């Protein structure tokens, strides 16, 4: 077939598919040849070739046959002038990352920006050259900046977050994609963003040629809207479908935004089909995100979903001890009295950010007034934080949470029935009311169907005894306490 005949065929295709589809999908095709019934085209990207093959192949074949060309199938080849992505010579990554880098045509759109990529800082504070920084496409793709403090070395591991930490470590090792997607969820200030940044740092250091894109769900939505406004959807699709690792923080922000969810859904599917790694964070489990489409929920739930539990006392104390060591680099002469860290870990249980902010304020205040950090200074400096962190759990909230946990009705906890299946949860609820509220024993008794305060005392003592002998009761109480304090 000659170029002239291909031009005539394109004119007929324009009338059939319309101007927008023609401009986006047909016009970029560069006809090469017809060989043994196969029409060969050059395309800018693999994505375009795949899309045309799936959506317009039958129409193009029909037009070929009408023009007298016996074509049975189409073949799409990426233009040969696509630049190759640099790969670390000393260390070839394990599969599937090696396979990703063996197909440079998938990433040529980002490569054109590499020579101008700025120098950036690693977590260790070492400068990367312009070329080396370019090899970490987080900057080249204008991703969200990574905080050098948020590395695995600075992450304090405890029982509430050990599973999430282990899963993040496993993904950061590279190699075969086993958890896809990895979804980290939990409340504010529990370490989701820290782990996301740590994964990105680890991957870009271990595999400099890897295309890692980290951004928030809000940034994803902004880029999508911008691409629609500027009519650059092809660039948008190529950008997000050509990454090796896509990391989206706070995915709950796309809930209720139908067009953004649809594009996220298609991007998700395209990356999974290419065996690319996806890492997501949210403030709650995917199934609990209101206004998130069911098909998006099901995709997020098909991988490894890990909960970061509210911090316990031991973890908060460990975090404070770690942060104190970091603060000593700035305030080497400040002394901190015994019991201050334990006091803060006990009183500030909302989230880690508040805890870190309180410690930073404490060191700054002590350095300004030239005093040792003791209990009096702590209570004076952090009076507002301590007031805000006071427990405000109600008896009704405890009753409701306990009844849900044991799968019984709230009326059974308050009511007169003495069956063990009701009595034991009732005693657990009384124990939690005593420990987590400021209510007196008579007040608690009145909230439990008008019971006497001696009944409440008996219930509290019984649970205290069982906690030391019955592992299940101890676990139930701890789980309920965490749920109520979160």
């Amino acid at each position: 077939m000659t170029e002239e005949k291909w031009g005539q065929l394109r004119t007929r295709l324009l009338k059939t598919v319309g101007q927008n589809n023609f401009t986006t999908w047909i016009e970029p095709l560069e006809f090469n040849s017809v060989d043994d019934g196969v029409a060969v085209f050059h395309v800018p990207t693999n994505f375009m070739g795949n899309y045309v093959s799936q959506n317009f192949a039958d129409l193009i074949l029909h037009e070929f046959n009408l023009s007298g060309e016996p074509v049975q199938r189409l073949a799409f080849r990426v233009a040969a002038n696509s630049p190759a992505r640099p790969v670390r010579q000393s260390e070839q990554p394990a599969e599937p990352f090696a396979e990703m880098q063996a197909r440079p045509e998938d990433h040529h759109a980002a490569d054109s920006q590499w020579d101008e990529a700025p120098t950036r800082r690693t977590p260790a504070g070492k400068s990367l050259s312009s070329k080396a920084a370019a090899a970490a496409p987080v900057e080249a793709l204008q991703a969200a900046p990574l905080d050098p403090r948020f590395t695995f070395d600075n992450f304090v591991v405890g029982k509430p977050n050990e599973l999430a930490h282990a899963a993040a470590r496993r993904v950061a090792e590279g190699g075969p994609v086993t958890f896809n997607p990895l979804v980290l969820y939990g409340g504010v200030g529990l370490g989701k963003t820290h782990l996301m940044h740590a994964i990105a740092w680890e991957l870009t250091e271990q595999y400099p040629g890897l295309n890692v894109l980290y951004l928030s769900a809000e940034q994803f939505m902004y880029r999508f809207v911008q691409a629609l406004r500027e009519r650059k959807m092809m660039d948008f699709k190529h950008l997000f479908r050509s990454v090796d690792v896509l990391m989206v923080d706070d995915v709950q922000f796309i809930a209720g935004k139908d067009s953004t969810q649809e594009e996220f859904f298609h991007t998700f599917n395209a990356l999974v089909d290419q065996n690319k790694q996806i890492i997501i964070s949210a403030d709650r489990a995917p199934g609990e995100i209101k206004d998130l489409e069911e098909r998006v929920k099901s995709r997020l739930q098909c991988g490894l979903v890990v909960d970061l539990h509210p911090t316990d006392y031991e973890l908060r104390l460990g975090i404070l001890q770690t942060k104190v060591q970091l603060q000593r680099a700035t305030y080497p002469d400040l002394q901190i009295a015994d019991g201050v860290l334990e006091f803060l870990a006990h009183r500030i249980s909302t989230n880690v950010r508040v805890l870190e902010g309180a410690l930073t304020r404490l060191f700054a205040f002590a350095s300004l007034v030239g005093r040792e950090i003791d209990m009096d200074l702590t209570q004076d400096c952090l009076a507002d934080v301590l007031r805000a962190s006071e427990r405000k759990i109600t008896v009704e909230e405890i009753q409701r949470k306990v009844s849900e946990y044991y799968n019984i009705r709230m009326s059974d906890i308050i009511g007169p029935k003495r069956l063990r299946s009701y009595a034991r949860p009732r005693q657990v609820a009384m124990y939690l009311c005593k420990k987590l509220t400021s209510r007196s024993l008579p007040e608690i008794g009145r909230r439990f169907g008008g019971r006497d305060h001696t009944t409440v005392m008996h219930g509290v003592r019984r649970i205290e005894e069982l906690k030391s002998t019955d592992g299940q009761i101890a676990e139930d109480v701890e789980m309920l306490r965490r749920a109520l304090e979160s």
Side-chain angles (χ1 to χ4, degrees), residues 330-363:
T330 307
Y331 308 103
D333 298 328
L334 280 183
Q335 298 297 319
I336 186 164
D338 293 339
V340 171
L341 297 185
E342 290 79 359
F343 171 75
L344 292 176
H346 176 71
R347 288 295 302 274
I348 304 177
S349 59
T350 48
N351 67 67
V352 175
R353 289 197 186 104
V354 174
L355 197 62
E356 291 181 2
L359 190 66
T360 300
R361 189 204 291 192
L362 200 55
F363 268 86

Side-chain angles (χ1 to χ4, degrees), residues 43-244:
V43 291
T45 65
N46 272 343
F47 170 72
M48 173 173 279
N50 291 335
Y51 190 91
V52 173
S53 177
Q54 293 171 12
N55 295 277
F56 300 106
D58 291 341
L59 181 60
I60 296 174
L61 287 173
H62 176 69
E63 293 295 342
F64 266 112
N65 290 319
L66 285 180
S67 64
E69 290 287 345
V71 175
Q72 281 80 45
R73 66 185 182 88
L74 307 179
F76 300 93
R77 296 174 183 168
V78 176
N81 61 353
S82 297
R85 174 127 63 90
V87 182
R88 176 188 278 187
Q89 299 298 321
S90 60
E91 177 184 355
Q92 288 295 333
E95 291 289 349
F97 294 152
E99 179 186 353
M100 297 170 186
Q101 295 170 344
R103 301 197 305 269
E105 64 273 16
D106 286 350
H107 312 291
H108 76 279
D111 295 342
S112 63
Q113 305 174 38
W114 285 6
D115 290 338
E116 302 175 54
T119 299
R120 70 190 188 101
R121 308 294 292 180
T122 67
K126 299 178 182 177
S127 279
L128 293 174
S129 67
S130 177
K131 201 70 175 178
V138 173
E139 293 286 344
L141 295 178
Q142 299 178 348
L146 298 177
D147 192 325
R149 298 172 302 165
F150 291 168
T151 64
F152 285 119
D153 291 339
N154 294 333
F155 190 82
V156 181
V157 183
K159 190 173 181 180
N161 61 21
E162 59 184 354
L163 177 57
H165 175 264
R169 273 285 195 186
R170 175 65 186 83
V171 170
E173 291 172 0
V177 177
T178 51
F179 307 142
N180 209 20
L182 171 63
V183 179
L184 305 172
Y185 78 91
V188 175
L190 297 183
K192 303 184 299 297
T193 299
H194 190 142
L195 286 177
M196 295 276 283
H197 283 225
I199 293 171
W201 279 123
E202 192 76 11
L203 286 173
T204 53
E205 287 191 336
Q206 295 298 320
Y207 307 104
L210 203 62
N211 195 346
V212 180
L213 179 59
Y214 167 83
L215 76 170
S216 67
E218 182 187 18
Q219 288 171 311
F220 180 89
M221 181 182 67
Y222 170 77
R223 290 189 183 187
F224 173 65
V225 172
Q226 186 181 36
L228 285 175
R229 186 173 61 247
E230 298 176 359
R231 298 184 179 181
K232 293 183 178 180
M233 280 306 298
M234 273 299 300
D235 293 342
F236 176 88
K237 290 176 183 291
H238 177 79
L239 172 68
F240 284 93
R241 285 159 173 75
S242 64
V243 300
D244 295 327

Side-chain angles (χ1 to χ4, degrees), residues 407-460:
N407 197 26
I408 60 177
R409 292 176 300 181
M410 193 166 163
S411 59
D412 293 327
I413 284 187
I414 302 173
K417 296 180 181 177
R418 296 186 179 184
L419 293 174
R420 184 170 182 175
S421 56
Y422 300 144
R424 190 67 77 228
R426 185 183 299 132
Q427 291 175 334
V428 168
M430 290 176 175
Y431 172 84
L432 291 170
C433 288
K434 178 66 171 65
K435 297 298 181 180
L436 301 181
T437 73
S438 58
R439 300 293 181 182
S440 65
L441 293 179
E443 284 182 292
I444 295 173
R446 283 195 293 272
R447 300 295 182 91
F448 281 84
R451 286 177 166 80
D452 190 75
H453 74 280
T454 56
T455 304
V456 179
M457 287 177 59
H458 170 74
V460 171

Side-chain angles (χ1 to χ4, degrees), residues 184-475:
L184 305 172
Y185 78 91
V188 175
L190 297 183
K192 303 184 299 297
T193 299
H194 190 142
L195 286 177
M196 295 276 283
H197 283 225
I199 293 171
W201 279 123
E202 192 76 11
L203 286 173
T204 53
E205 287 191 336
Q206 295 298 320
Y207 307 104
L210 203 62
N211 195 346
V212 180
L213 179 59
Y214 167 83
L215 76 170
S216 67
E218 182 187 18
Q219 288 171 311
F220 180 89
M221 181 182 67
Y222 170 77
R223 290 189 183 187
F224 173 65
V225 172
Q226 186 181 36
L228 285 175
R229 186 173 61 247
E230 298 176 359
R231 298 184 179 181
K232 293 183 178 180
M233 280 306 298
M234 273 299 300
D235 293 342
F236 176 88
K237 290 176 183 291
H238 177 79
L239 172 68
F240 284 93
R241 285 159 173 75
S242 64
V243 300
D244 295 327
V245 181
L246 177 64
M247 310 178 72
V248 181
D249 206 356
D250 291 323
V251 77
Q252 71 273 4
F253 286 118
I254 69 171
K257 302 169 180 66
D258 295 341
S259 298
T260 305
Q261 288 191 65
E262 181 175 1
E263 185 56 39
F264 178 80
F265 173 80
H266 293 308
T267 299
F268 185 101
N269 286 341
L271 291 176
V272 169
D273 289 344
Q274 298 176 61
N275 203 31
K276 306 294 181 70
Q277 180 70 60
I278 301 173
I279 306 165
I280 304 293
S281 79
D283 64 353
R284 67 203 73 179
E288 298 174 1
I289 300 177
K290 185 181 179 182
D291 295 330
L292 193 65
E293 292 183 3
E294 288 301 323
R295 59 179 179 172
V296 177
K297 289 181 182 179
S298 67
R299 292 301 189 280
L300 296 180
Q301 290 171 324
C302 71
L304 178 62
V305 180
V306 184
D307 180 12
L308 281 88
H309 297 287
T311 56
D312 56 18
Y313 170 79
E314 291 77 12
L315 180 56
R316 291 195 295 273
L317 183 58
I319 291 170
L320 285 171
Q321 290 169 343
T322 301
K323 299 302 177 183
V324 164
Q325 297 304 316
L326 296 175
Q327 290 287 351
R328 290 202 184 283
T330 307
Y331 308 103
D333 298 328
L334 280 183
Q335 298 297 319
I336 186 164
D338 293 339
V340 171
L341 297 185
E342 290 79 359
F343 171 75
L344 292 176
H346 176 71
R347 288 295 302 274
I348 304 177
S349 59
T350 48
N351 67 67
V352 175
R353 289 197 186 104
V354 174
L355 197 62
E356 291 181 2
L359 190 66
T360 300
R361 189 204 291 192
L362 200 55
F363 268 86
F365 184 76
S367 69
L368 291 172
V369 299
R371 289 172 53 189
E372 178 191 24
I373 300 176
D374 56 14
M375 199 65 71
D376 290 338
L377 184 140
T378 299
Q379 292 180 336
D380 290 341
C381 176
L382 302 178
D384 58 329
V385 177
L386 296 174
R387 279 197 303 271
S389 300
E390 287 180 356
R391 292 186 297 233
K392 299 175 182 177
I393 302 169
T394 65
V395 172
E396 290 76 12
E397 184 182 356
I398 292 173
Q399 291 171 336
R400 183 172 63 255
K401 187 70 70 174
V402 171
S403 62
E404 291 173 357
Y405 184 84
Y406 286 104
N407 197 26
I408 60 177
R409 292 176 300 181
M410 193 166 163
S411 59
D412 293 327
I413 284 187
I414 302 173
K417 296 180 181 177
R418 296 186 179 184
L419 293 174
R420 184 170 182 175
S421 56
Y422 300 144
R424 190 67 77 228
R426 185 183 299 132
Q427 291 175 334
V428 168
M430 290 176 175
Y431 172 84
L432 291 170
C433 288
K434 178 66 171 65
K435 297 298 181 180
L436 301 181
T437 73
S438 58
R439 300 293 181 182
S440 65
L441 293 179
E443 284 182 292
I444 295 173
R446 283 195 293 272
R447 300 295 182 91
F448 281 84
R451 286 177 166 80
D452 190 75
H453 74 280
T454 56
T455 304
V456 179
M457 287 177 59
H458 170 74
V460 171
R461 287 173 182 166
R462 183 61 181 150
I463 296 301
E464 287 176 341
E465 293 169 359
L466 289 173
K467 279 181 63 181
S468 59
T469 58
D470 189 330
Q472 185 60 54
I473 288 291
E475 182 179 347

